[in-house]
Amino acid sequence: MWHRPDVFHGLPAWKRARIPRAGGIGRAGLRPRGAPLLIRECNGPMDVVIVESPAKAKTISKYLGNDYEVLASVGHIRDLAQAKEIPADKKKGSLGKFSIDVENDFEPCYVVSPGKAKTVSDLKKALKNADELYLATDEDREGEAIAWHLLEVLKPKVPVHRMVFNEITKDAITAAANNTRELNTNLV
């Protein structure tokens, strides 16, 4: 969000940014001399929205504006563990064979998928400054499962909302952000 300099003094500390001088950073690298001075909020708390694909993230980010940071999980972030990923003390029995502990109420053993550690790290870093988390994966069972896995891995300390939509239009995204629901664990 951008503010005029005459209202800069009333901003809280987390919204203040360095004021670029004439010839400073701006569009195309430089702010032309005489151009109006704009100050951008930086590094303040904002709401984080997690979607499945980067293309969706880019489009939805345009619709939601600067108050939201829209990130992509790029699909599933974890899966059942392979036999080599299970600790040695737990390899005995069904857990070592199937990645599911049959003796303990069929408890699955999940691990972060190969190549997804950086994605998980980026999502956790974004959540450190977040006010709220919106899980906006697809509305089907797979999307609900991805949202559940995100919730289990990220362990957010902020309020979590499930945002669902059937189309990616400005009206649909705005309506979804205003009408969130809880995660439906019956679908997971």
Side-chain angles (χ1 to χ4, degrees):
M1 179 151 291
W2 294 88
H3 298 280
R4 292 184 25 224
D6 56 333
V7 295
F8 178 69
H9 67 282
L11 293 176
W14 63 268
K15 287 188 176 180
R16 295 187 187 135
R18 286 188 219 142
I19 302 173
R21 293 177 291 169
I25 296 174
R27 187 166 185 237
L30 295 175
R31 180 175 63 85
R33 294 192 185 278
L37 177 65
L38 298 175
I39 299 164
R40 189 182 192 307
E41 294 177 13
C42 65
N43 297 330
M46 58 179 19
D47 296 339
V48 173
V49 178
I50 301 176
V51 297
E52 288 181 40
S53 79
K56 282 183 189 175
K58 186 176 178 182
T59 305
I60 292 170
S61 180
K62 290 178 191 175
Y63 295 148
L64 291 176
N66 292 335
D67 294 334
Y68 294 86
E69 183 176 4
V70 184
L71 303 167
S73 70
V74 195
H76 292 273
I77 60 164
R78 66 181 192 166
D79 201 356
L80 288 172
Q82 297 291 323
K84 62 184 177 187
E85 298 169 320
I86 297 173
D89 61 327
K90 295 184 178 181
K91 281 192 178 183
K92 295 177 183 167
S94 63
L95 185 61
K97 198 179 229 183
F98 306 113
S99 299
I100 296 174
D101 192 353
V102 177
E103 289 85 26
N104 285 327
D105 200 25
F106 294 89
E107 186 70 29
C109 179
Y110 291 110
V111 294
V112 174
S113 299
K116 294 293 183 152
K118 183 174 180 349
T119 302
V120 170
S121 173
D122 292 343
L123 294 173
K124 283 183 177 183
K125 189 186 304 183
L127 276 175
K128 286 184 180 176
N129 291 330
D131 283 334
E132 294 181 87
L133 171 62
Y134 291 86
L135 298 172
T137 53
D138 294 345
E139 195 172 7
D140 56 4
R141 281 182 174 272
E142 183 181 15
E144 208 74 22
I146 292 171
W148 179 78
H149 283 289
L150 285 166
L151 196 59
E152 292 287 310
V153 170
L154 299 176
K155 296 179 179 43
K157 295 179 176 122
V158 296
V160 178
H161 308 284
R162 182 74 168 95
M163 187 170 130
V164 292
F165 45 85
N166 292 318
E167 58 186 4
I168 302 177
T169 62
K170 186 169 178 70
D171 292 338
I173 300 301
T174 305
N178 293 329
N179 299 304
T180 59
R181 64 170 172 85
E182 294 293 317
L183 186 70
N184 187 350
T185 54
N186 291 329
L187 294 177
V188 176

